[in-house]
Amino acid sequence: MIDTLIQGILLGGYYAVIACGLSFMFSVMRIINLAHGSLAVAAAYGLWLLASTFGISPFAGLLIVLPVMAVAGWMLQRYLLERSARGGALLPILTTFGLAIVLDNLMFEQFGADTRSLAPFIGSLSYDSWELPGGIYVGKLAVMTMASAIALLGGLQFFLSRFALGRAIRATAEDPDTAGLVGIDARKANALAAAIAMVTVGIAGAFLGMRATFDPYSGGPQLLFAFEAAVIGGAGSLWGTLIGGIVLGLAQSLGAQVHPQGFLIGGHAVFLAMLFARLFLTGVPFLGRTGFSRTGLPKIRAALRSTP
Amino acid sequence: MTLASNGISIERWTRSSRLALGGVALALALFAIAPLTLGAGAIDRMTALFIYVILAAMWNALAGFGGLVSVGQQVFFGLGAYFTIRLADTGLNPFLALFAAAIITGAISLPLSFFMLRLKGGEFAIGMWVISALTHMLVNLDRLIQGETGTSLISLNVYDINTRRVVIYWLALASMAALLGILFALLRSRAGAAIQAIRDNEDAATSLGVRVVATKRLLFVLAAFGIAIAGALWLATATTFQPKTYFSVQWTAYMIFMVLIGGIGKFEGAILGAVLFFVIETFFGAMGVWYLIGLGATAVLFSLFLPQGLWGEIERRFDLRLLPVGYRVKLPGPPKIQWNQ
């Protein structure tokens, strides 16, 4: 039982990594990117390609894939999302959904239906574990994922609160017009936010590939997991995403103990239960208004006032 | 046409729309007698076309008029098929089961709406997908379905294959005509004015006292019911039920494609989109994965460069309204100068 709980919590680390980009993009641009999962899978394929053809370890491969993802995020915002967002709030949903279909099928065309994994390229890391007192084993990779999640969320928080660019992004998230008045280029801030989000998606893709297998159509389920973790975590702060991920991971691990199909059912059911509870207890929907900037709102105001 | 005193007229029916309605009636009559001349393959394809029109019109009702973009509408498609199997298993006539299943699915969508309609925009879109994924898993748990192996609508086998084909064709045609008729009547009714107000500006509609949520609920339930009929009909033509095929997000992808290229929020647009999709599928469907890539890319391009779709463009260019669901104000022409000689 304790073993299940620990595995569930550690699984939450992965969900936090994949959810933070989705949640971040939503809070800044009010766009839910339906190609989120497919982009993570694309990053995983990128790493797999580098590893299997050039023998580059997935960790070194990230040095190539992450900059590519950043550029992809920048272009995604500049050429697709910016344009479609002008057509109303609903159009980006359709645009990114179309993009997901294109990506999924392009990957299928390129890599076929075989499932792939990055596990063969990371040596013994994929199955190494530490033994805890009481005969409980925790996988090194799972612990590493959790540590990365915490580092990623902390780093993002630090960047958003301490750097001028981070503050520009938060100000744009809060009110793009007012941010524009004080000399912040909202287009640039949004494109930068999309680039950062895609870097987190690239990291999520790496962990997806290392901890499990993936195929060209894995993007859909990953999008759902990311969305569920982000919603369960709710508004508030980046750390909510971590809690959301852990709740989702726990629900899935416990569900799997009950029934072979319980893994997915448990996750979806807890997500809906959380949604239900929050809707009827507080009446507030979930991804919330500007989740990432709420805590720092006074700071943004101060920043805006002090900007010449 | 109502003529106001200042020369401004309000028009609803125009000459072209009267002709169009006559054309629709004629087309339906021709479709009804078509099985007498069509071969088996053609009848099956036409049945598929009718089902596509239903799917497009229902998704358009929800997204185009209700402003509710869902990527989980496959849940109703799957449930329509699943309940048909379930009901037929109890001994109900399979053709009756099709419609009973749709009614059950519509009934289920009502309590679901109280929950889902509180979500906004993208949250509603993916939230519906989660509902669909969960429902898919739960249907898999039913022993009758045998997990992903699936099962068949065996009770259809008592009918002769040719009779069966034509009956399903007629049922699909009648369902399509009825659903389009209901939607058309609804959009032209008092509720229709509310629906179009919501489509144009939800906040403004609320401030005018439009009952936004109740109106959206009506569309949500109608779409669930219509898509369930489509799913049940699809099951009747395919006879096999594999949960994975019916609860596939691909169905919603098709719906989005049809409505986007036809014209979102246009009654005629969804029909045009379904016909175009049918033609594209007929010619390029065999290309497999590139066909799907093409569909996705076309959807992206339309959403970026022609968000009003082809019908929106036709309306704009030619000032044409075939099946008008709104009213239009027609201003008098430029004043004629009277020369006093």
Side-chain angles (χ1 to χ4, degrees):
Chain A
M1 184 62 192
I2 293 178
D3 186 47
T4 310
L5 291 179
I6 291 177
Q7 306 309 335
I9 289 170
L10 290 176
L11 179 59
Y14 165 69
Y15 292 140
V17 174
I18 195 158
C20 86
L22 187 82
S23 181
F24 181 60
M25 258 180 99
F26 181 79
S27 70
V28 177
M29 283 161 277
R30 317 256 122 236
I31 285 173
I32 295 187
N33 175 12
L34 266 65
H36 190 84
S38 303
L39 285 159
V41 175
Y45 269 113
L47 291 170
W48 178 82
L49 204 60
L50 288 173
S52 61
T53 47
F54 303 108
I56 300 172
S57 131
F59 294 104
L62 278 174
L63 295 175
I64 301 167
V65 166
L66 292 186
V68 172
M69 290 301 286
V71 173
W74 185 282
M75 285 166 52
L76 179 72
Q77 170 62 22
R78 270 290 159 96
Y79 297 110
L80 287 183
L81 301 182
E82 200 178 279
R83 193 181 175 97
S84 75
R86 280 202 295 263
L90 296 178
L91 217 48
I93 303 174
L94 303 178
T95 313
T96 54
F97 186 66
L99 179 65
I101 293 170
V102 172
L103 280 175
D104 288 358
N105 288 294
L106 274 177
M107 289 189 283
F108 181 80
E109 209 281 323
Q110 195 62 38
F111 300 106
D114 297 343
T115 56
R116 310 281 186 198
S117 176
L118 295 175
F121 307 107
I122 52 172
S124 62
L125 183 63
S126 56
Y127 49 85
D128 271 356
S129 57
W130 285 297
E131 187 181 353
L132 296 184
I136 293 166
Y137 290 89
V138 292
K140 286 185 178 172
L141 182 64
V143 172
M144 210 180 100
T145 311
M146 179 53 95
S148 307
I150 294 170
L152 194 63
L153 293 170
L156 209 49
Q157 185 92 352
F158 185 71
F159 168 75
L160 288 175
S161 55
R162 291 280 175 271
F163 285 80
L165 279 175
R167 283 196 295 266
I169 289 175
R170 274 164 51 215
T172 310
E174 195 60 40
D175 184 344
D177 297 331
T178 313
L181 287 178
V182 295
I184 291 170
D185 184 346
R187 289 185 66 205
K188 209 170 122 189
N190 282 341
L192 182 69
I196 292 170
M198 282 311 118
V199 169
T200 70
V201 168
I203 296 170
F207 284 123
L208 168 71
M210 286 191 263
R211 57 170 285 277
T213 58
F214 55 93
D215 66 62
Y217 297 109
S218 299
Q222 301 311 313
L223 168 70
L224 292 192
F225 296 151
F227 176 71
E228 288 174 342
V231 168
I232 295 172
S237 71
L238 280 166
W239 300 108
T241 314
L242 184 62
I243 294 165
I246 289 172
V247 170
L248 181 63
L250 278 174
Q252 292 183 337
S253 301
L254 291 172
Q257 297 291 310
V258 179
H259 190 273
Q261 290 211 25
F263 183 81
L264 291 173
I265 294 179
H268 294 325
V270 163
F271 161 76
L272 290 172
M274 293 289 290
L275 212 65
F276 193 78
R278 195 163 317 146
L279 270 177
F280 288 90
L281 290 179
T282 67
V284 180
F286 353 79
L287 278 176
R289 301 301 85 190
T290 44
F292 287 87
S293 51
R294 180 177 291 169
T295 48
L297 189 56
K299 278 188 199 157
I300 295 176
R301 297 228 170 92
L304 289 176
R305 272 197 297 273
S306 65
T307 313
Chain B
M1 189 185 293
T2 324
L3 207 64
S5 56
N6 49 5
I8 296 173
S9 58
I10 309 291
E11 70 175 25
R12 167 158 265 194
W13 287 112
T14 58
R15 229 172 84 83
S16 60
S17 63
R18 270 181 242 273
L19 282 173
L21 204 66
V24 168
L26 186 67
L28 288 178
L30 286 177
F31 280 138
I33 56 167
L36 300 176
T37 56
L38 290 176
I43 293 179
D44 280 343
R45 286 300 292 156
M46 291 307 289
T47 309
L49 171 64
F50 301 149
I51 293 174
Y52 293 157
V53 172
I54 295 176
L55 291 177
M58 292 299 117
W59 196 84
N60 191 33
L62 194 62
F65 292 105
L68 293 161
V69 170
S70 160
V71 283
Q73 289 306 91
Q74 65 274 18
V75 66
F76 303 120
F77 194 80
L79 279 180
Y82 167 68
F83 284 125
T84 306
I85 294 267
R86 258 273 152 231
L87 290 171
D89 187 59
T90 63
L92 189 68
N93 175 298
F95 293 117
L96 282 178
L98 300 182
F99 295 97
I103 291 170
I104 294 176
T105 308
I108 289 177
S109 76
L110 185 65
L112 186 66
S113 75
F114 282 94
F115 183 47
M116 296 311 290
L117 290 183
R118 301 193 60 163
L119 308 191
K120 296 265 175 285
E123 293 168 350
F124 174 79
I126 310 187
M128 285 301 297
W129 195 348
V130 174
I131 294 284
S132 173
L134 180 60
T135 310
H136 176 187
M137 292 290 135
L138 294 177
V139 164
N140 275 0
L141 292 181
D142 187 337
R143 286 179 193 284
L144 178 67
I145 304 302
Q146 307 171 62
E148 290 299 352
T149 319
T151 182
S152 302
L153 191 60
I154 26 180
S155 57
L156 270 183
N157 291 341
V158 298
Y159 299 95
D160 164 57
I161 178 84
N162 289 315
T163 323
R164 196 166 90 196
R165 179 176 288 121
V166 176
V167 170
I168 295 167
Y169 171 95
W170 276 327
L171 287 179
L173 177 65
S175 306
M176 176 189 78
L179 285 166
L180 287 179
I182 291 171
L183 187 60
F184 189 63
L186 180 71
L187 290 173
R188 288 171 62 94
S189 71
R190 194 178 157 78
I195 289 167
Q196 290 170 62
I198 294 170
R199 174 195 62 183
D200 294 340
N201 189 332
E202 194 173 321
D203 294 331
T206 314
S207 73
L208 287 171
V210 171
R211 294 173 63 215
V212 172
V213 177
T215 311
K216 285 187 173 187
R217 180 163 298 128
L218 186 65
L219 290 171
F220 187 81
V221 173
L222 175 68
F225 173 72
I227 291 172
I229 288 186
L233 286 166
W234 194 266
L235 172 70
T237 56
T239 64
T240 54
F241 178 75
Q242 282 179 301
K244 213 185 213 160
T245 325
Y246 286 78
F247 288 99
S248 163
V249 72
Q250 188 169 302
W251 291 107
T252 299
Y254 291 162
M255 295 179 216
I256 290 179
F257 176 81
M258 293 187 278
V259 175
L260 255 181
I261 62 166
I264 193 163
K266 313 275 176 211
F267 183 81
E268 304 92 328
I271 302 171
L272 175 68
V275 172
L276 286 173
F277 173 70
F278 174 77
V279 172
I280 293 169
E281 190 196 39
T282 308
F283 287 104
F284 301 104
M287 288 172 68
V289 70
W290 281 109
Y291 160 70
L292 294 171
I293 294 170
L295 288 188
T298 312
V300 171
L301 290 176
F302 266 82
S303 77
L304 291 179
F305 299 105
L306 207 59
Q308 294 300 308
L310 289 174
W311 191 260
E313 195 60 20
I314 291 171
E315 268 190 3
R316 200 175 62 80
R317 290 248 172 112
F318 304 108
D319 195 30
L320 184 69
R321 278 170 187 59
L322 292 187
L323 298 169
V325 292
Y327 295 92
R328 274 204 309 165
V329 176
K330 224 176 164 61
L331 296 171
K336 289 198 179 70
I337 299 165
Q338 302 283 322
W339 296 101
N340 295 318
Q341 291 293 348

